[in-house]
Amino acid sequence: QAIALDPNSFEGHYFYGRACFTQGKLERAAALFERVAEVKPEDYQALILLMQIYRSLGRDADIKSAARRGVERAERNLTLHPDNARAAASAAAALVTLGEKDRAREWLSTALAIDPHDVNNQYNAACIYTKLGDMERALDVLERVLPHAGYELKHGWIKHDSDLDPLRSHPRFQKILDLV
């Protein structure tokens, strides 16, 4: 209804997109996040989320474009707000996708230094560690953080997050899911 009332509503598109993602409605989530990227040109989050969704949908040609644009926007955000751990972690995720692993590690270290206790920041770190191939470290973080995570993360996000796909068959991952 918010989108019907305001077709340019950032919040309407963004939060509806998140809800669709957690419900596995990935095509709809992609369309909503694409709209977010148009409506709010400074937002980096929608582009970073689109990378995951595009990967799940097999839209490989779109992943790197979203990653490049996401890094550019996150860098601009960090220039204005150097204490934004979310922007640093988002840029790290995009940099891994672009093959810039050393730079991604630096940005992730920055994100964790800014806000080492934030559950979402820790979850994002686990996703980045997975993409970097550091599976044990990713599992360590998930094991530590998931019991403290909110409902959306534990019961929706973790099911559809393509960043965690390499962990899904790992026996330890299954045990972690049993904990939550």
Side-chain angles (χ1 to χ4, degrees):
Q1 186 157 2
I3 294 170
L5 293 171
D6 180 1
N8 293 319
S9 169
F10 165 79
E11 292 84 0
H13 286 87
Y14 181 78
F15 290 109
Y16 185 28
R18 287 184 67 91
C20 287
F21 181 84
T22 62
Q23 296 170 12
K25 299 175 184 174
L26 302 182
E27 290 285 353
R28 184 67 179 135
L32 290 160
F33 287 130
E34 287 164 353
R35 182 68 180 133
V36 168
E38 293 171 10
V39 169
K40 192 171 182 182
E42 67 274 14
D43 178 70
Y44 57 88
Q45 296 177 90
L47 293 166
I48 303 306
L49 295 170
L50 276 168
M51 291 182 334
Q52 297 169 8
I53 295 168
Y54 288 156
R55 189 175 302 113
S56 294
L57 294 173
R59 291 177 55 181
D60 297 338
D62 296 321
I63 296 169
K64 289 199 178 193
S65 172
R68 278 190 292 281
R69 292 172 45 217
V71 169
E72 290 169 5
R73 290 181 183 191
E75 286 176 332
R76 282 195 301 265
N77 183 284
L78 281 165
T79 300
L80 298 171
H81 310 284
D83 60 341
N84 187 345
R86 189 174 188 91
S90 295
L95 288 165
V96 173
T97 297
L98 295 171
E100 297 183 41
K101 292 183 177 187
D102 291 337
R103 195 166 163 219
R105 284 184 182 88
E106 290 172 19
W107 282 72
L108 179 56
S109 292
T110 298
L112 293 172
I114 292 169
D115 195 351
H117 304 294
D118 180 77
V119 170
N120 289 325
N121 200 29
Q122 290 290 316
Y123 175 83
N124 290 336
C127 292
I128 294 164
Y129 290 138
T130 301
K131 290 169 64 171
L132 288 168
D134 193 346
M135 304 307 175
E136 292 304 317
R137 194 166 187 185
L139 291 164
D140 289 344
V141 172
L142 289 173
E143 194 170 60
R144 186 176 63 248
V145 77
L146 281 177
H148 308 287
Y151 183 85
E152 180 188 41
L153 190 63
K154 287 198 277 192
H155 299 285
W157 211 261
I158 199 163
K159 291 179 185 176
H160 304 289
D161 193 334
S162 63
D163 287 348
L164 300 177
D165 285 350
L167 297 177
R168 295 196 189 283
S169 62
H170 195 290
R172 193 166 159 212
F173 184 77
Q174 295 306 314
K175 288 179 185 174
I176 292 168
L177 288 181
D178 290 343
L179 292 174
V180 298

